[in-house]
């Protein structure tokens, strides 16, 4: 079972690489503004998780540079996810706004949020 998961993960990553989406083109000022907004976010994810790939593809389509945090191999990020979000489930977008921290777990919700914020 472990081999099957590993193999399917590699297939997902290969297909994501081959069929990588194009990002939106923004003016320098608009891209700087988007980058500043993205500084308050972090995506907790596993590299080969299909739902995480879905969110990373949405980030690429929106040309958003959100920090990626590996919750599978990095124990510090894993502990932050569990302490802050309450559970180890990925993908999880950590959004810090006005001193408040929100943890968003569902990939479809994250994609919708990114499209709304960065469109």
């Amino acid at each position: 079972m472990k081999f099957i998961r590993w193999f399917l993960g590699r297939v997902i990553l290969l297909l994501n690489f081959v069929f990588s989406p194009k990002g939106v083109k923004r003016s320098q000022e608009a891209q700087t503004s988007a980058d500043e907004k993205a500084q308050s976010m972090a995506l907790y994810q596993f590299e080969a998780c299909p739902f995480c790939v879905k969110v990373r593809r949405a980030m690429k389509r929106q040309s958003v540079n959100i920090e990626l945090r590996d919750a599978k191999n990095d124990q510090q990020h894993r502990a932050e996810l569990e302490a802050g979000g309450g559970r180890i489930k990925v993908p999880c977008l950590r959004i810090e706004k006005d001193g408040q921290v929100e943890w968003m777990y569902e990939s479809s919700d994250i994609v919708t949020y990114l499209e709304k914020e960065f469109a």
Side-chain angles (χ1 to χ4, degrees):
M1 186 63 159
K2 197 172 192 176
F3 174 76
I4 293 171
R5 282 184 143 181
W6 176 86
F7 180 75
L8 289 176
R10 299 300 157 230
V11 169
I12 289 168
L13 291 174
L14 176 65
L15 291 174
N16 181 49
F17 176 76
V18 172
F19 300 107
S20 185
K22 301 244 187 247
V24 297
K25 300 292 182 195
R26 296 188 179 98
S27 68
Q28 185 64 34
E29 295 167 353
Q31 186 61 48
T32 301
S33 174
D35 289 342
E36 287 174 3
K37 190 184 291 189
Q39 291 294 318
S40 64
M41 300 177 192
L43 180 68
Y44 290 83
Q45 48 103 39
F46 296 167
E47 181 184 28
C49 164
F51 299 105
C52 299
V53 170
K54 175 182 173 180
V55 172
R56 290 195 310 264
R57 290 175 66 84
M59 289 168 44
K60 184 153 185 168
R61 278 192 301 275
Q62 295 298 326
S63 298
V64 179
N65 300 315
I66 296 174
E67 178 187 359
L68 300 177
R69 296 183 178 176
D70 184 1
K72 185 174 186 178
N73 299 315
D74 188 320
Q75 293 304 315
Q76 179 183 352
H77 290 155
R78 188 178 186 90
E80 289 171 6
L81 177 61
E82 187 173 25
R87 56 192 165 158
I88 300 171
K89 180 182 172 194
V90 294
C92 181
L93 183 64
R94 181 186 184 275
I95 307 162
E96 189 171 342
K97 193 185 296 184
D98 301 325
Q100 301 284 7
V101 176
E102 178 184 351
W103 299 82
M104 187 177 295
Y105 275 99
E106 294 299 320
S107 62
S108 296
D109 294 342
I110 295 170
V111 169
T112 301
Y113 177 81
L114 293 175
E115 289 172 351
K116 185 184 87 168
E117 287 293 313
F118 296 99

